[in-house]
C-alpha cells in the first residue's frame, strides 16, 4: 500500500518490549484498540516511501515511529506530522527506546516540584529505563538522587552512572535514606513499583513533599 498525502511508509527496524505493551496485551492498559490488533508503543525505522506534500523527511531517513502506532510489524504507514530525521550514525537499538522513557524521566523532574540545583530526589525502580534516565537528567540539572534497588550487585553500577546514594530495599531503608541525606529535604519521590514500595517512598519524604506514581511494576495497589 502506497502512502497517501502527508503520509510516510516506514520499515520498522527495532521495537522494544515495554511493560506497557504487556499490559495492553492483557487488556488492562489505558488504551484498548479493537481486536485483532498489533501492539508496540515505540520503535525506529527507515522511510521507505513518502506521499504527496511530505517535506519533513525523505526516503532513507531513519525516524522514530509515533507513539502507540503499533510497531511490532515490518511496515507501517503513519502521518508525516512531527516526523524528523535522526542522526544516521546513531545506534538504532538505542534510538528505538527514545520515545517513552527519556521524556518520562525529564517530565517527572520538572512537572510536579520546582526543584533547584542541590535538591534531592528519591526513586524506587532505579534500575529501570526511566530510573536510569532520571539519574542522567538529574546530574545535568545539578540535582541529587537517592536510588532504591532490590539487588546489591546493582549498587556499584548505578553509582558509576551518577547515582549519588544507592541503597538496597529493606524494612529499614527509609531510616537509612534519611541518615544518608542528613538534614537535606526530600521534596520529590518517584514511584515506579507501587504496592508496599509506595509506602516506603512516602516514609522518606519531608513534610509537604510530593510523591508521583508513574508505573506499577508490582501490579499491586498503592499501600501507604
Amino acid at each position: 500500500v502506497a502512502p497517501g498525502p502527508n503520509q510516510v511508509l516506514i520499515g520498522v527496524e527495532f521495537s522494544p518490549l515495554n511493560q506497557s505493551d504487556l499490559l495492553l496485551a492483557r487488556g488492562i492498559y489505558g488504551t484498548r484498540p479493537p481486536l485483532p490488533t498489533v501492539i508496540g508503543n515505540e520503535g525506529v525505522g527507515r522511510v521507505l516511501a513518502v506521499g504527496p506534500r511530505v517535506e519533513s523527511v525523505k526516503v532513507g531517513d531513519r525516524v522514530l515511529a509515533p507513539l502507540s502506532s503499533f510497531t511490532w510489524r515490518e511496515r507501517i504507514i503513519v502521518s508525516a506530522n512531527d516526523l524528523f530525521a535522526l542522526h544516521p550514525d546513531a545506534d538504532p537499538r538505542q534510538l528505538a527506546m527514545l520515545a517513552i522513557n527519556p521524556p518520562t524521566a525529564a517530565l517527572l523532574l520538572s512537572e510536579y516540584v520546582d526543584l533547584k540545583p542541590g535538591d534531592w530526589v528519591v526513586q524506587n525502580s532505579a534500575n529501570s529505563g526511566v530510573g536510569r534516565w532520571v539519574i542522567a537528567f538529574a546530574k545535568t540539572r545539578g540535582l541529587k538522587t537517592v536510588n532504591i534497588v532490590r539487588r546489591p550487585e546493582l549498587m556499584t553500577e548505578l553509582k558509576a552512572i551518577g547515582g549519588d546514594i544507592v541503597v538496597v530495599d529493606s524494612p529499614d531503608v527509609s531510616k537509612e535514606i534519611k541518615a544518608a541525606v542528613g538534614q537535606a529535604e526530600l521534596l520529590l519521590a518517584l514511584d515506579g513499583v507501587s504496592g508496599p514500595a509506595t509506602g516506603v517512598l512516602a516514609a522518606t519524604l519531608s513534610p509537604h513533599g510530593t510523591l508521583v506514581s508513574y508505573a506499577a511494576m508490582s501490579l499491586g495497589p498503592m499501600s501507604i
Side-chain angles (χ1 to χ4, degrees), residues 80-197:
N81 292 341
D82 300 325
L83 292 184
F84 56 91
L86 300 167
H87 195 287
D89 297 328
D91 183 349
R93 291 169 296 183
Q94 296 297 320
L95 294 174
M97 298 182 285
L98 280 181
I100 294 178
N101 290 336
T104 298
L107 292 169
L108 287 171
L109 292 175
S110 62
E111 293 298 296
Y112 301 97
V113 176
D114 184 17
L115 297 171
K116 298 175 178 59
D119 285 346
W120 285 89
V121 178
V122 58
Q123 64 168 343
N124 56 27
S125 197
N127 186 50
S128 67
V130 171
R132 287 170 175 258
W133 276 105
V134 164
I135 293 172
F137 282 125
K139 296 302 287 187
T140 66
R141 300 180 188 186
L143 305 174
K144 297 180 179 181
T145 57
V146 178
N147 305 277
I148 302 174
V149 296
R150 273 145 291 283
R151 288 180 286 140
E153 60 267 27
L154 293 171
M155 296 179 67
T156 301
E157 185 176 349
L158 291 190
K159 286 180 180 178
I161 66 171
D164 295 283
I165 296 174
V166 184
V167 295
V168 178
D169 195 12
S170 71
D172 296 323
V173 73
S174 60
K175 296 179 181 178
E176 182 182 351
I177 290 171
K178 289 181 178 180
V181 301
Q183 298 299 312
E185 289 191 316
L186 280 167
L187 300 177
L188 177 63
L190 306 176
D191 176 24
V193 180
S194 195

